[in-house]
Amino acid sequence: MRVVKQSVDEDESRSSLRIERGSCFGVRVCPFEVRPYTLRAMSGSDYMAMLEVAKAEARKGLAEGGIPIGAAIFDQSGKLIGAGHNRRVQNGDPSLHGETDAFRNAGRQRSYRNLIMVTTLAPCWYCSGLVRQFGFGTLIVGEGRNFQGGMDWLRSLGVKVIDLDSDECASMLSDYIRANPEIWHEDIGKG
């Protein structure tokens, strides 16, 4: 996957991006338009565009028979660093949550402080620990209705946590939980 600058206005303070179909760490993602972003400062529409990448990962996980939770990591300019989805069911690996998959796919980084972790669901304690341990400065959450996880804890530690309260993220997961309560309870450690 690569992000391509599609157009820039005269003062270059806003530009429109397009994600081209391709491979990002071996993961294929359908093409879609990313909303305009501001080069100087992030806004809510930027976060929604980033969430689209995580939602595509969640849909991929669901299509594979897994739990529909996706995540992506971006730098401050909006460049995608890594993406992934929950593959606990598919791989039989209890540590392979959406955030950890995106983290692994991002590869080693000198620092994570200026990176943005985007996830379709509030991170569990395990993934909240990852955000804390590596010092991510910003966490964008698709929804916290189905599960609150460690959002308040991360906020108390100074992490900028933004809950976008996405209806699509909430319904995708609540539908899965209704159909697969035993797998969901196992995923959150309540099995």
Side-chain angles (χ1 to χ4, degrees):
M1 172 187 307
R2 66 187 182 124
V3 177
V4 179
K5 190 178 287 185
Q6 198 172 33
S7 64
V8 178
D9 67 12
E10 291 174 12
D11 69 0
E12 292 196 13
S13 65
R14 295 189 59 77
S15 58
S16 177
L17 296 181
R18 176 172 46 89
I19 293 185
E20 289 189 339
R21 185 176 189 89
S23 179
C24 176
F25 308 104
V27 176
R28 302 224 22 113
V29 178
C30 295
F32 57 87
E33 292 296 313
V34 176
R35 295 182 183 129
Y37 77 103
T38 303
L39 295 172
R40 295 188 186 114
M42 291 283 185
S43 71
S45 63
D46 301 319
Y47 298 141
M48 292 301 287
M50 291 175 179
L51 182 61
E52 288 299 322
V53 175
K55 288 193 308 190
E57 287 290 329
R59 287 188 290 271
K60 181 175 181 178
L62 184 60
E64 294 170 353
I67 302 167
I69 302 170
I73 298 171
F74 295 87
D75 69 12
Q76 292 290 321
S77 74
K79 176 185 171 192
L80 178 65
I81 306 297
H85 55 279
N86 187 305
R87 293 189 289 145
R88 295 181 70 253
V89 174
Q90 301 91 308
N91 290 24
D93 181 347
S95 70
L96 205 42
H97 292 206
E99 297 89 341
T100 59
D101 194 33
F103 182 73
R104 289 173 180 168
N105 289 333
R108 289 177 58 196
Q109 304 293 314
R110 291 193 112 141
S111 173
Y112 297 85
R113 291 187 201 327
N114 293 321
L115 297 182
I116 301 166
M117 172 71 80
V118 181
T119 181
T120 57
L121 177 68
C124 67
W125 290 105
Y126 169 60
C127 296
S128 294
L130 181 147
V131 169
R132 170 68 171 134
Q133 172 70 29
F134 291 93
F136 283 86
T138 304
L139 172 68
I140 307 301
V141 175
E143 66 100 357
R145 294 181 226 166
N146 287 299
F147 185 72
Q148 280 288 305
M151 287 195 306
D152 290 338
W153 177 66
L154 290 167
R155 281 185 185 113
S156 77
L157 297 169
V159 176
K160 180 179 178 182
V161 178
I162 300 169
D163 184 348
L164 297 176
D165 196 31
S166 162
D167 289 334
E168 182 182 357
C169 289
S171 64
M172 187 176 359
L173 186 58
S174 65
D175 291 348
Y176 182 87
I177 292 169
R178 265 191 303 282
N180 304 281
E182 65 290 336
I183 295 173
W184 169 249
H185 287 117
E186 176 189 321
D187 191 64
I188 60 171
K190 306 263 185 201

